[in-house]
Amino acid sequence: VAIVLAVGCRFMRTLKLTLAYDGTDCVGWQRQAEGVSIQGSLEDALAAFEGAPVTVHGAGRTDAGVHALGQVASVALTASHSTETLQRALNAVLPAAVRVLEVVEEAADFHARFTAVSKVYEYRIVNAPFISPFLYRYAWHVPMPLSLAAMAEAASILTGTHDFAAFQGTGSPVGTTTRTIHRIDWEPGEGPARPLVVRFEGNGFLRHMVRNIVGTLVDVGVGRRAPAGISTILASRDRARAGPTAPAAGLFLVAVLY
Amino acid sequence: VAIVLAVGCRFMRTLKLTLAYDGTDCVGWQRQAEGVSIQGSLEDALAAFEGAPVTVHGAGRTDAGVHALGQVASVALTASHSTETLQRALNAVLPAAVRVLEVVEEAADFHARFTAVSKVYEYRIVNAPFISPFLYRYAWHVPMPLSLAAMAEAASILTGTHDFAAFQGTGSPVGTTTRTIHRIDWEPGEGPARPLVVRFEGNGFLRHMVRNIVGTLVDVGVGRRAPAGISTILASRDRARAGPTAPAAGLFLVAVLY
């Protein structure tokens, strides 16, 4: 009985981990049967401290090939190491493609996904005849000239609260497909080494939503679709109406706001 | 006889190719028996146009893992395609890690290596407790605090015309080991994602010279050596007196001037 009580009394802390990763060679956030996942790498590393299995919750389940500059994860641990020690120790054992930028203590009810208020994603496009050898893992190469004005017009229709069912990856049902995109910002690119950056901030994003929106915006940018057609796509709630899914390599989870 | 004459009359052009490459997965500039080399990739691609073997000369024979933002190569061709067509066609068949930034016609006596007047190299160091997952292929991670003042003092001793035998990679004899470093510039870094950049411009660099200088400068920066010791190293002409060879990943051939 004494032993059970002692175990029961171990202090459980909730930690918030901020992460950056190069998703190129990863199977994505979520642990899979095979391949390097961010969740799996973190859980394996943390289990060594805890001396027991550990579950790490991510704010967003990024797909294979998607990158992060500020993914957030939460984890409950009894291990009493300082946050600095944990960060240093994690970075010493994680693959070089995954770095822990910060570890902070949070209230017990903090949850990386459920507590999140909004998320910021960036999608990078190199709009030039060729793409820098240092960017092909980190941007979509679109050689055809793009009309940013047309793309911005289409983006303005997507901003706000809408049913984004038409932009949801197939086979990924969720309760509601209504989301709010607070803003879509643009940073113009130039030449093969400076990508056009499209920045999305919203209260949540459906599976493949950013990539499906970007694929549709590029259709508009090259003149395959009219900007006004976006309203029809939204109203249809039909994935087949929207454009192709932009490649994973161009997508970055930039920040999660709480 | 008529056929021989016709071949003999084909117009031979000299082309200058400016190249960028991510050296991470390459065996280096020079063609090797195995592995992807920049020279080999270019020669194979150009031979398809020429219908005959082609020899490409590089301004600098970068080692395995070393990158280029502005390597220059020269090649003599009889193929009559426009420079734009050649550039586009090369970029269509070369590995994504190698891009042709520009193709221009040059005088018959142009030679990428022998005509070069000076070269610019950059060496990138991330001086922070950890390194961004997007930079570990492109910078040397030095976690110990560096004194830039001490490094700059050491660098000032290296600037100018010296016998750099002590900074030459072993087993790479050349006629003279005297070179002139015109300038060593500094761009301070900050945190895990912004590297310290050390920029070298000189009339030529011995094998491993930049990396051996950087290894020695970092020795000075962390306090393992005094800046004034550089004079002794230069005078010794002894490779064993200088510091370690900095990793290939941090080195970029930035430009070749003619």
Side-chain angles (χ1 to χ4, degrees), chain A:
Chain A
V1 172
I3 292 169
V4 172
L5 267 177
V7 171
C9 289
R10 284 186 72 183
F11 178 63
M12 186 69 89
R13 319 145 75 186
T14 298
L15 298 175
K16 175 191 178 200
L17 280 58
T18 306
L19 308 162
Y21 47 84
D22 179 336
T24 308
D25 300 321
C26 295
V27 296
W29 167 263
Q30 210 155 9
R31 186 189 274 278
Q32 309 280 330
E34 303 209 14
V36 175
S37 68
I38 319 302
Q39 184 186 33
S41 300
L42 284 168
E43 288 180 350
D44 293 348
L46 285 164
F49 289 89
E50 191 68 355
V54 163
T55 301
V56 172
H57 299 282
R61 286 180 230 144
T62 54
D63 286 309
V66 173
H67 314 290
L69 297 172
Q71 166 78 288
V72 173
S74 55
V75 62
L77 284 187
T78 61
S80 58
H81 310 73
S82 74
T83 52
E84 292 75 17
T85 300
L86 281 166
Q87 182 191 8
R88 202 164 45 235
L90 284 170
N91 282 334
V93 298
L94 285 167
V98 184
R99 292 292 91 175
V100 179
L101 305 182
E102 194 183 53
V103 180
V104 294
E105 307 270 354
E106 285 288 345
D109 63 351
F110 177 82
H111 186 287
R113 184 144 65 102
F114 301 133
T115 323
V117 171
S118 67
K119 282 179 201 153
V120 179
Y121 280 94
E122 276 179 10
Y123 197 93
R124 305 189 181 180
I125 296 169
V126 167
N127 187 219
F130 62 92
I131 180 169
S132 160
F134 301 100
L135 284 185
Y136 70 89
R137 298 187 190 92
Y138 310 114
W140 182 17
H141 179 212
V142 178
M144 304 83 77
L146 288 174
S147 161
L148 292 199
M151 291 169 77
E153 188 186 335
S156 73
I157 300 173
L158 291 161
T159 308
T161 303
H162 302 283
D163 183 340
F164 285 98
F167 294 96
Q168 177 178 227
T170 50
S172 45
V174 291
T176 168
T177 47
T178 296
R179 296 288 185 277
T180 301
I181 298 183
H182 302 307
R183 55 191 179 87
I184 304 180
D185 292 336
W186 302 80
E187 213 174 274
E190 195 187 347
R194 192 156 126 218
L196 159 69
V197 180
V198 194
R199 192 176 295 111
F200 298 82
E201 184 177 340
N203 68 351
F205 293 88
L206 302 166
R207 178 142 197 261
H208 288 183
M209 181 169 144
V210 176
R211 291 165 59 190
N212 291 341
I213 287 177
V214 169
T216 309
L217 291 179
V218 165
D219 269 2
V220 169
V222 299
R224 268 195 294 262
R225 296 167 183 273
I230 297 292
S231 306
T232 319
I233 298 171
L234 279 172
S236 76
R237 306 187 69 251
D238 179 4
R239 173 68 191 91
R241 295 293 195 95
T245 308
L251 185 60
F252 290 74
L253 172 52
V254 171
V256 186
L257 309 176
Y258 293 91

Side-chain angles (χ1 to χ4, degrees), chain B residues 65-168:
Chain B
V66 172
H67 314 291
L69 297 172
Q71 167 77 290
V72 173
S74 56
V75 62
L77 284 187
T78 61
S80 59
H81 309 74
S82 75
T83 52
E84 292 73 20
T85 300
L86 281 166
Q87 182 190 9
R88 202 164 46 237
L90 284 170
N91 283 333
V93 297
L94 286 168
V98 184
R99 292 292 92 173
V100 179
L101 307 181
E102 194 184 53
V103 180
V104 294
E105 307 269 355
E106 285 287 345
D109 63 351
F110 177 82
H111 186 288
R113 184 144 64 103
F114 301 133
T115 324
V117 170
S118 67
K119 285 181 197 150
V120 179
Y121 280 94
E122 277 179 9
Y123 197 94
R124 304 189 180 179
I125 296 169
V126 168
N127 187 217
F130 60 94
I131 180 168
S132 159
F134 300 100
L135 285 185
Y136 69 90
R137 296 187 190 92
Y138 310 113
W140 181 16
H141 178 214
V142 177
M144 305 81 80
L146 287 174
S147 162
L148 293 200
M151 291 170 79
E153 188 186 337
S156 73
I157 299 172
L158 291 161
T159 308
T161 303
H162 302 282
D163 183 339
F164 285 99
F167 294 96
Q168 177 177 229

Side-chain angles (χ1 to χ4, degrees), chain B residues 43-52 54:
Chain B
E43 289 181 348
D44 294 349
L46 285 165
F49 288 89
E50 191 68 355
V54 163

